[in-house]
Amino acid sequence: MSARGLQRPGSLVSLRATKETKTDLVAPQISEIEEEVIIEKEEDGKTTSRIIFRIGGMIDVFEVEDLTEKVGWPRRQPQKVKVALENSFMVSSLYKQSLSPDDGSVVEEKLIGIIRVTSDTVFNATLWDVTVDPEYQGEGLGKTIMEMTIRKLLRLDIKTISLFAEPQVLDFYRKLGFWKDPQGIRAMFWYPRW
């Protein structure tokens, strides 16, 4: 068991958070870290901050919920979010990192974008919780995280990728190559009636 109260990826452990530190780290199925720098900001010839794309690694349940709340989604139960993240095939994320001017080490890291992916690991994948912090929207980061996530799935030979979208973002997804089912909607949904 680590210092944060986790056993191993995929294990169910009760959330432990205090007022000082609301963190609970979980690992999706693909937890090996792949990182790529997307944007670097320089001052006086030194990199002071950067935005990175990351697949894998540990994801903080509370950071995810803080981010989704910023875009206007209702707050979800942290225990359920934890289970959803643990059972996800992959999580793609964007982080803004503040760097030390002295040695370039990471001083602070903030989650600013996320995509949760479920998959049968062979044929199909579905993208969930596609979110970019409103403070960083309009900079092409949504397009970047989507394209990089899709490329990773294609490298894994997963070629059927779906998502659910609100009407106001359909054009965004169309520009990325998504379209409504050309044979008519073949999906059906069951919702509780009570």
Side-chain angles (χ1 to χ4, degrees):
M1 193 178 269
S2 75
R4 295 214 187 252
L6 294 178
Q7 293 174 342
R8 62 181 194 277
S11 67
L12 208 53
V13 178
S14 64
L15 294 171
R16 292 195 292 164
T18 65
K19 287 183 180 179
E20 300 85 42
T21 60
K22 276 192 164 185
T23 61
D24 192 21
L25 302 176
V26 297
Q29 292 173 26
I30 291 183
S31 55
E32 183 177 322
I33 297 174
E34 294 179 33
E35 259 183 26
E36 187 173 330
V37 175
I38 305 299
I39 299 170
E40 288 186 330
K41 182 180 176 185
E42 290 188 10
E43 290 179 16
D44 301 324
K46 293 184 179 185
T47 303
T48 57
S49 66
R50 63 187 176 199
I51 294 177
I52 62 159
F53 170 80
R54 181 182 297 155
I55 292 176
M58 303 299 278
I59 303 293
D60 187 311
V61 172
F62 293 101
E63 277 190 300
V64 171
E65 278 308 281
D66 290 346
L67 178 60
T68 57
E69 191 173 42
K70 279 184 177 179
V71 298
W73 295 2
R75 196 102 178 140
R76 303 175 290 187
Q77 293 179 13
Q79 294 85 352
K80 288 186 174 187
V81 174
K82 179 177 180 151
V83 172
L85 289 166
E86 288 175 331
N87 289 304
S88 294
F89 173 61
M90 178 174 92
V91 175
S92 302
S93 52
L94 293 174
Y95 286 92
K96 179 177 182 190
Q97 296 179 332
S98 299
L99 307 176
S100 166
D102 299 324
D103 62 5
S105 62
V106 176
V107 176
E108 182 182 27
E109 186 172 82
K110 174 185 173 189
L111 180 68
I112 62 168
I114 192 164
I115 298 175
R116 190 171 61 83
V117 181
T118 57
S119 176
D120 59 17
T121 74
V122 182
F123 301 111
N124 305 292
T126 301
L127 310 183
W128 303 93
D129 301 341
V130 179
T131 311
V132 173
D133 188 319
E135 185 179 334
Y136 297 91
Q137 290 178 7
E139 299 179 24
L141 294 175
K143 178 181 179 185
T144 299
I145 192 172
M146 285 291 295
E147 288 175 344
M148 294 181 87
T149 301
I150 291 166
R151 280 199 293 268
K152 174 65 176 180
L153 291 168
L154 293 174
R155 283 194 308 272
L156 294 169
D157 204 28
I158 298 171
K159 296 182 178 152
T160 302
I161 303 168
S162 61
L163 57 77
F164 295 87
E166 296 293 326
Q168 65 270 25
V169 292
L170 290 177
D171 285 339
F172 170 76
Y173 293 118
R174 280 190 191 107
K175 290 176 185 173
L176 293 168
F178 286 85
W179 65 84
K180 291 182 181 178
D181 186 343
Q183 298 174 355
I185 295 177
R186 292 184 284 178
M188 296 182 75
F189 300 90
W190 180 92
Y191 293 105
R193 294 183 189 161
W194 51 92

